[in-house]
Amino acid sequence: MDKFVIRGGRRLAGEVTISGAKNAAVAILPAVILSDEPCYIENVPSISDVKISLIILKEMGAEVTRTGKDAYRIDPTKIDRCCVPYETARKMRASYYFLGALLGKFNKARVSMPGGCPLGDRPIDQHLKAFSALGADYTLSQGMIDLRADKLTGNQIFFDVVTVGATMNAMLAAVKAEGLTVIENAAKEPHIVDLANFLNSMGANIMGAGTDVIKIRGVKSLHGTNYSVIPDQIEAGTFMIAAAATEGDVVIKNVIPKHLESITKKLEKIGVNIESYDDSIRVWVDGPLVKANVKTSPHPGFPTDMQPQIATLLTLAEGTSIITEGIWDQRFRYVDELRRMGADITVNGTVALIEGTGRLMGAPVKACDLRAGAALIIAGLAASGITEIEDIFHIERGYDGMEIKLREIGADIKKVSVPDKISENEPDTKAVSRNDSADDAEAV
Ligand code: EPZ
């Protein structure tokens, strides 16, 4: 197993380039299934969730060819099954996008219940509500979700809660459904818009993505396309906070400043200087950091996926800050690890009270999920002394070469291999051979 070893106290300075957005890529890759021709996708981040998505596509028969560092040619026309093997799919949350894509293309799908970060209850009732509204029947058995439809027909879908995943899945299932589908109370994240733009580049007819009402007119077929994934809003925000936490001065390139507005506004309130340009943003600190109150909410609110990172920054600010987690009911599991580094944080349900102590001390800690791991890296960079972070496979699910990028702007961080004490949760991204999942196979 690997761990990160960080010697803290060094200011970050220089330029860093952001990779493609994880939460867009993991929806766009399954969406290729809907095309009747090969697709070319660029700016795909090299992260384990993407690797698993590509393995799943290959296991189903798609032809996947790497055409560049972050680019792939994917030919879905040879897909000969509509089932995603349990062992592969359960390793990540986004495997459920194969449900919407396979249903939209073949009127059937068989995918395991998704895995993903342990953030508390993560139901899929709204996904199933959307599929049912379009005419699909579903069964849940042995951890697998089976979908079947004689025909998919456009319908009204009103989500009881704003949900990124179900909004994505409803779009995937509806693009070829006959007639008009109207999704109300839709999620508005940048990755929702990116998936809609990708589908429209294949000939879909989707209007209103990025607002809370999305209209989709079903089309008969979708053609191939060339598409570049948007930059990762959360990776950019993570580097903004890393720069601030080390009192650094960093230019973050390949960003869409509009996607970062809620993060920028909050950081400026904390005393961070920020200058936005066309596709980059400069972050620097030249004075004390001050307390702030943060409430996470769906876009355009402050992103929940930035909550652990900004909590870490606020441990360094003067005064008492309050963080209210508005999306997940268990997203403070990282606090125990920060306490080992000297943080003074009290958690009560979905509210955390942070007493800014202005300093952190290096310690051995463990990443419990993707963004918690990113927060521990930030804490290690700001702390005095050495911090060792275990279970970094969580971090590598969603950050492309994070330690390399940090080293390039002055961090003292290295990845060290440790004799295997394999964590039961570590996803192996080696391919399951196609005949291994023969019993699951279901000809399309
Ligand atoms: C996506 O998860 C992201 N993951 C998460 O990012 C992110 O935290 C989340 O959206 C919110 O922005 C991916 O995109 C792969 P939701 P998702 O459906 O789709 C409830 C990261 O760090 N809900 O928007 O699973 C749910 O319980 C990860 O990159 C239902 O009640 O989140 C939650 O309270 C962590 N029923 C709220 O909606 C459903 O059927 C939002 O969940 C679905 C969701």
Side-chain angles (χ1 to χ4, degrees):
M1 200 164 64
D2 296 336
K3 65 183 177 183
F4 285 142
V5 179
I6 302 170
R7 177 181 299 282
R10 298 179 54 152
R11 281 181 78 250
L12 298 184
E15 292 186 350
V16 64
T17 300
I18 297 304
S19 300
K22 159 179 119 48
N23 290 345
V26 294
I28 286 170
L29 291 173
V32 170
I33 291 169
L34 290 157
S35 169
D36 295 333
E37 294 172 340
C39 293
Y40 294 81
I41 319 284
E42 295 175 356
N43 205 31
V44 179
S46 181
I47 55 177
S48 54
D49 274 13
V50 160
K51 290 190 183 88
I52 292 171
S53 301
L54 294 172
I55 287 170
I56 291 173
L57 284 167
K58 280 186 225 164
E59 284 174 352
M60 290 197 296
E63 203 176 84
V64 177
T65 316
R66 192 159 197 170
T67 53
K69 178 177 169 302
D70 300 331
Y72 295 87
R73 175 189 183 273
I74 301 171
D75 181 353
T77 57
K78 301 181 174 64
I79 286 178
D80 58 7
R81 59 182 65 191
C82 57
C83 167
V84 177
Y86 177 79
E87 270 318 303
T88 319
R90 63 192 282 272
K91 297 186 180 72
M92 65 173 187
R93 185 85 193 149
S95 49
Y96 57 25
Y97 292 139
F98 286 91
L99 281 170
L102 289 165
L103 180 67
K105 178 69 176 278
F106 302 114
N107 285 356
K108 56 182 166 183
R110 181 173 161 73
V111 180
S112 80
M113 286 293 282
C117 294
L119 305 173
D121 188 22
R122 297 189 79 172
I124 60 163
D125 59 308
Q126 300 298 301
H127 298 246
L128 299 174
K129 173 179 183 175
F131 297 144
S132 303
L134 296 170
D137 297 317
Y138 65 84
T139 55
L140 305 176
S141 67
Q142 271 101 40
M144 297 297 283
I145 305 161
D146 265 301
L147 293 175
R148 290 237 180 304
D150 296 332
K151 180 177 151 204
L152 293 173
T153 309
N155 201 345
Q156 200 91 13
I157 300 169
F158 185 91
F159 286 129
D160 305 326
V161 61
V162 175
T163 152
V164 166
T167 301
M168 298 275 217
N169 251 335
M171 283 199 285
L172 291 167
V175 280
K176 294 182 71 179
E178 193 176 275
L180 177 66
T181 296
V182 180
I183 303 169
E184 295 189 82
N185 201 23
K188 301 182 271 195
E189 274 67 8
H191 28 291
I192 299 276
V193 178
D194 208 27
L195 176 64
N197 290 341
F198 173 70
L199 291 168
N200 282 341
S201 76
M202 291 156 72
N205 184 342
I206 303 173
M207 295 156 285
T211 73
D212 47 10
V213 179
I214 299 177
K215 292 184 179 172
I216 303 167
R217 281 199 185 289
V219 294
K220 288 248 176 294
S221 69
L222 294 172
H223 53 69
T225 185
N226 285 302
Y227 195 79
S228 184
V229 176
I230 53 167
D232 194 312
Q233 166 203 38
I234 305 301
E235 184 191 17
T238 302
F239 274 93
M240 289 168 76
I241 290 187
T246 59
E247 298 177 358
D249 186 341
V250 177
V251 174
I252 302 165
K253 298 166 71 176
N254 188 33
V255 300
I256 299 173
K258 178 133 188 64
H259 292 168
L260 304 171
E261 276 176 357
S262 62
I263 302 166
T264 298
K265 287 201 184 84
K266 194 55 75 176
L267 290 179
E268 286 174 334
K269 278 185 79 169
I270 295 172
V272 180
N273 301 298
I274 294 176
E275 191 79 51
S276 294
Y277 307 100
D278 288 349
D279 60 358
S280 62
I281 191 164
R282 180 189 168 209
V283 180
W284 77 100
V285 170
D286 56 12
L289 299 179
V290 297
K291 67 179 176 63
N293 295 334
V294 180
K295 179 170 177 19
T296 68
S297 61
H299 192 78
F302 189 87
T304 176
D305 295 345
M306 288 296 304
Q307 185 256 87
Q309 300 92 310
I310 200 150
T312 303
L313 184 66
L314 290 169
T315 67
L316 305 169
E318 289 163 12
T320 306
S321 300
I322 300 172
I323 291 195
T324 308
E325 171 54 52
I327 306 283
W328 301 109
D329 50 25
Q330 286 172 33
R331 193 163 210 170
F332 288 117
R333 294 169 64 234
Y334 63 90
V335 166
D336 279 340
E337 301 304 305
L338 283 183
R339 287 184 181 127
R340 294 162 61 84
M341 301 177 73
D344 179 354
I345 304 177
T346 310
V347 175
N348 184 358
T350 58
V351 178
L353 212 60
I354 300 172
E355 296 300 339
T357 58
R359 52 163 183 67
L360 291 169
M361 297 159 293
V365 291
K366 252 186 207 224
C368 58
D369 66 56
L370 166 57
R371 307 303 174 182
L376 292 174
I377 289 179
I378 292 168
L381 294 171
S384 54
I386 303 286
T387 297
E388 298 194 350
I389 304 174
E390 286 192 4
D391 286 355
I392 62 171
F393 59 85
H394 285 295
I395 301 168
E396 295 176 326
R397 279 191 47 220
Y399 287 94
D400 184 350
M402 186 153 190
E403 80 279 6
I404 299 165
K405 291 179 181 176
L406 284 168
R407 265 203 304 275
E408 284 169 358
I409 50 176
D412 181 346
I413 178 173
K414 51 182 181 289
K415 186 177 355 184
V416 171
S417 286
V418 187
D420 271 2
K421 176 182 60 159
I422 286 279
S423 163
E424 68 283 355
N425 300 326
E426 183 163 3
D428 54 343
T429 52
K430 63 180 181 301
V432 173
S433 70
R434 277 167 60 80
N435 50 27
D436 285 1
S437 49
D439 53 330
D440 276 340
E442 172 100 16
V444 292

